[in-house]
Amino acid sequence: LGIATGSSPLAVYDELARRHAEDGLSFAGVQAFMLDEYVGLAADHPERYRNVIETEFASRVDIDPADVHGPDGLAEDLEAACAAFEAQIQAAGGVDVQILGIGTDGHIAFNEPGSSFASRTRVMALTRQTREDNARFFGGDPQAVPARCLTQGLGTIMQARQLVLLATGEAKAA
């Protein structure tokens, strides 16, 4: 299962948690792969994407926390961390269903419009627009949003067997 952060997938996570609690939907044995992670946020920072996924999804279902994988934004060697994450996805047999959101400027994960369709997990600099959009999670301060991230590339994302792209709200209508 490919999992995303941001506002768009929250209703999906609510529904999956409801189905887990009420209908017995199980995530035992499921491998989950995060789309991206900020570079340099402390392990206990509430906006670190691993922590967001734990709060919004993993803690609400029966997935083993060891089965939730993401690129390591705290690694000393970020390129090696990206390669290791790609290897984890491949070792699991790839992603069956990838949940995606889309940014107001059209970015998917942190792949800005014009990103290569062949791109793999890599280090990216966040654009001014993306940092402004994400400032709401950092007390409204775009400067508090990390300037870099690790993100699955479009080539990695497009290898998923099914893609579910979510876009809600007036700000994303265009």
Side-chain angles (χ1 to χ4, degrees), residues 115-119 153-156 158:
S115 291
S116 169
F117 281 104
S119 59
L154 294 176
T156 305
M158 294 299 290

mmCIF file with all atom_site columns, all heavy atoms in Angstrom, residues 115-119 153-156 158:
data_model
loop_
_atom_site.group_PDB
_atom_site.id
_atom_site.type_symbol
_atom_site.label_atom_id
_atom_site.label_alt_id
_atom_site.label_comp_id
_atom_site.label_asym_id
_atom_site.label_entity_id
_atom_site.label_seq_id
_atom_site.pdbx_PDB_ins_code
_atom_site.Cartn_x
_atom_site.Cartn_y
_atom_site.Cartn_z
_atom_site.occupancy
_atom_site.B_iso_or_equiv
_atom_site.pdbx_formal_charge
_atom_site.auth_seq_id
_atom_site.auth_comp_id
_atom_site.auth_asym_id
_atom_site.auth_atom_id
_atom_site.pdbx_PDB_model_num
ATOM 1  N N   . SER A 1 115 ? 8.520  17.412 -13.781 1.00 0.00 ? 115 SER A N   1
ATOM 2  C CA  . SER A 1 115 ? 9.447  16.372 -13.315 1.00 0.00 ? 115 SER A CA  1
ATOM 3  C C   . SER A 1 115 ? 9.461  15.223 -14.307 1.00 0.00 ? 115 SER A C   1
ATOM 4  O O   . SER A 1 115 ? 8.458  14.915 -14.945 1.00 0.00 ? 115 SER A O   1
ATOM 5  C CB  . SER A 1 115 ? 9.015  15.842 -11.942 1.00 0.00 ? 115 SER A CB  1
ATOM 6  O OG  . SER A 1 115 ? 9.188  16.815 -10.944 1.00 0.00 ? 115 SER A OG  1
ATOM 7  N N   . SER A 1 116 ? 10.584 14.576 -14.400 1.00 0.00 ? 116 SER A N   1
ATOM 8  C CA  . SER A 1 116 ? 10.748 13.461 -15.327 1.00 0.00 ? 116 SER A CA  1
ATOM 9  C C   . SER A 1 116 ? 9.868  12.285 -14.932 1.00 0.00 ? 116 SER A C   1
ATOM 10 O O   . SER A 1 116 ? 9.808  11.907 -13.760 1.00 0.00 ? 116 SER A O   1
ATOM 11 C CB  . SER A 1 116 ? 12.209 13.009 -15.335 1.00 0.00 ? 116 SER A CB  1
ATOM 12 O OG  . SER A 1 116 ? 12.327 11.779 -16.021 1.00 0.00 ? 116 SER A OG  1
ATOM 13 N N   . PHE A 1 117 ? 9.216  11.692 -15.924 1.00 0.00 ? 117 PHE A N   1
ATOM 14 C CA  . PHE A 1 117 ? 8.413  10.494 -15.678 1.00 0.00 ? 117 PHE A CA  1
ATOM 15 C C   . PHE A 1 117 ? 9.296  9.292  -15.370 1.00 0.00 ? 117 PHE A C   1
ATOM 16 O O   . PHE A 1 117 ? 8.799  8.261  -14.927 1.00 0.00 ? 117 PHE A O   1
ATOM 17 C CB  . PHE A 1 117 ? 7.501  10.203 -16.866 1.00 0.00 ? 117 PHE A CB  1
ATOM 18 C CG  . PHE A 1 117 ? 6.273  11.063 -16.881 1.00 0.00 ? 117 PHE A CG  1
ATOM 19 C CD1 . PHE A 1 117 ? 6.173  12.133 -17.749 1.00 0.00 ? 117 PHE A CD1 1
ATOM 20 C CD2 . PHE A 1 117 ? 5.221  10.818 -16.019 1.00 0.00 ? 117 PHE A CD2 1
ATOM 21 C CE1 . PHE A 1 117 ? 5.054  12.939 -17.759 1.00 0.00 ? 117 PHE A CE1 1
ATOM 22 C CE2 . PHE A 1 117 ? 4.097  11.616 -16.004 1.00 0.00 ? 117 PHE A CE2 1
ATOM 23 C CZ  . PHE A 1 117 ? 4.002  12.682 -16.888 1.00 0.00 ? 117 PHE A CZ  1
ATOM 24 N N   . ALA A 1 118 ? 10.591 9.389  -15.577 1.00 0.00 ? 118 ALA A N   1
ATOM 25 C CA  . ALA A 1 118 ? 11.516 8.304  -15.278 1.00 0.00 ? 118 ALA A CA  1
ATOM 26 C C   . ALA A 1 118 ? 12.154 8.460  -13.895 1.00 0.00 ? 118 ALA A C   1
ATOM 27 O O   . ALA A 1 118 ? 12.909 7.592  -13.467 1.00 0.00 ? 118 ALA A O   1
ATOM 28 C CB  . ALA A 1 118 ? 12.610 8.242  -16.342 1.00 0.00 ? 118 ALA A CB  1
ATOM 29 N N   . SER A 1 119 ? 11.849 9.537  -13.177 1.00 0.00 ? 119 SER A N   1
ATOM 30 C CA  . SER A 1 119 ? 12.526 9.829  -11.916 1.00 0.00 ? 119 SER A CA  1
ATOM 31 C C   . SER A 1 119 ? 12.229 8.775  -10.850 1.00 0.00 ? 119 SER A C   1
ATOM 32 O O   . SER A 1 119 ? 11.157 8.197  -10.801 1.00 0.00 ? 119 SER A O   1
ATOM 33 C CB  . SER A 1 119 ? 12.142 11.220 -11.414 1.00 0.00 ? 119 SER A CB  1
ATOM 34 O OG  . SER A 1 119 ? 10.740 11.329 -11.221 1.00 0.00 ? 119 SER A OG  1
ATOM 35 N N   . GLY A 1 153 ? 10.003 9.325  -6.931  1.00 0.00 ? 153 GLY A N   1
ATOM 36 C CA  . GLY A 1 153 ? 9.908  9.956  -8.236  1.00 0.00 ? 153 GLY A CA  1
ATOM 37 C C   . GLY A 1 153 ? 8.678  9.459  -8.984  1.00 0.00 ? 153 GLY A C   1
ATOM 38 O O   . GLY A 1 153 ? 8.039  8.481  -8.585  1.00 0.00 ? 153 GLY A O   1
ATOM 39 N N   . LEU A 1 154 ? 8.353  10.135 -10.069 1.00 0.00 ? 154 LEU A N   1
ATOM 40 C CA  . LEU A 1 154 ? 7.192  9.732  -10.861 1.00 0.00 ? 154 LEU A CA  1
ATOM 41 C C   . LEU A 1 154 ? 7.360  8.327  -11.431 1.00 0.00 ? 154 LEU A C   1
ATOM 42 O O   . LEU A 1 154 ? 6.385  7.572  -11.537 1.00 0.00 ? 154 LEU A O   1
ATOM 43 C CB  . LEU A 1 154 ? 6.929  10.743 -11.970 1.00 0.00 ? 154 LEU A CB  1
ATOM 44 C CG  . LEU A 1 154 ? 6.497  12.127 -11.494 1.00 0.00 ? 154 LEU A CG  1
ATOM 45 C CD1 . LEU A 1 154 ? 6.361  13.074 -12.686 1.00 0.00 ? 154 LEU A CD1 1
ATOM 46 C CD2 . LEU A 1 154 ? 5.207  12.067 -10.699 1.00 0.00 ? 154 LEU A CD2 1
ATOM 47 N N   . GLY A 1 155 ? 8.588  7.957  -11.782 1.00 0.00 ? 155 GLY A N   1
ATOM 48 C CA  . GLY A 1 155 ? 8.828  6.605  -12.284 1.00 0.00 ? 155 GLY A CA  1
ATOM 49 C C   . GLY A 1 155 ? 8.519  5.553  -11.239 1.00 0.00 ? 155 GLY A C   1
ATOM 50 O O   . GLY A 1 155 ? 7.944  4.498  -11.548 1.00 0.00 ? 155 GLY A O   1
ATOM 51 N N   . THR A 1 156 ? 8.879  5.825  -10.000 1.00 0.00 ? 156 THR A N   1
ATOM 52 C CA  . THR A 1 156 ? 8.574  4.915  -8.895  1.00 0.00 ? 156 THR A CA  1
ATOM 53 C C   . THR A 1 156 ? 7.066  4.841  -8.684  1.00 0.00 ? 156 THR A C   1
ATOM 54 O O   . THR A 1 156 ? 6.493  3.750  -8.608  1.00 0.00 ? 156 THR A O   1
ATOM 55 C CB  . THR A 1 156 ? 9.277  5.390  -7.599  1.00 0.00 ? 156 THR A CB  1
ATOM 56 O OG1 . THR A 1 156 ? 10.671 5.533  -7.838  1.00 0.00 ? 156 THR A OG1 1
ATOM 57 C CG2 . THR A 1 156 ? 9.032  4.420  -6.459  1.00 0.00 ? 156 THR A CG2 1
ATOM 58 N N   . MET A 1 158 ? 4.622  5.552  -10.715 1.00 0.00 ? 158 MET A N   1
ATOM 59 C CA  . MET A 1 158 ? 3.890  4.978  -11.855 1.00 0.00 ? 158 MET A CA  1
ATOM 60 C C   . MET A 1 158 ? 4.033  3.459  -11.956 1.00 0.00 ? 158 MET A C   1
ATOM 61 O O   . MET A 1 158 ? 3.289  2.824  -12.696 1.00 0.00 ? 158 MET A O   1
ATOM 62 C CB  . MET A 1 158 ? 4.329  5.643  -13.155 1.00 0.00 ? 158 MET A CB  1
ATOM 63 C CG  . MET A 1 158 ? 3.959  7.119  -13.239 1.00 0.00 ? 158 MET A CG  1
ATOM 64 S SD  . MET A 1 158 ? 2.187  7.420  -13.157 1.00 0.00 ? 158 MET A SD  1
ATOM 65 C CE  . MET A 1 158 ? 1.684  6.753  -14.733 1.00 0.00 ? 158 MET A CE  1
#
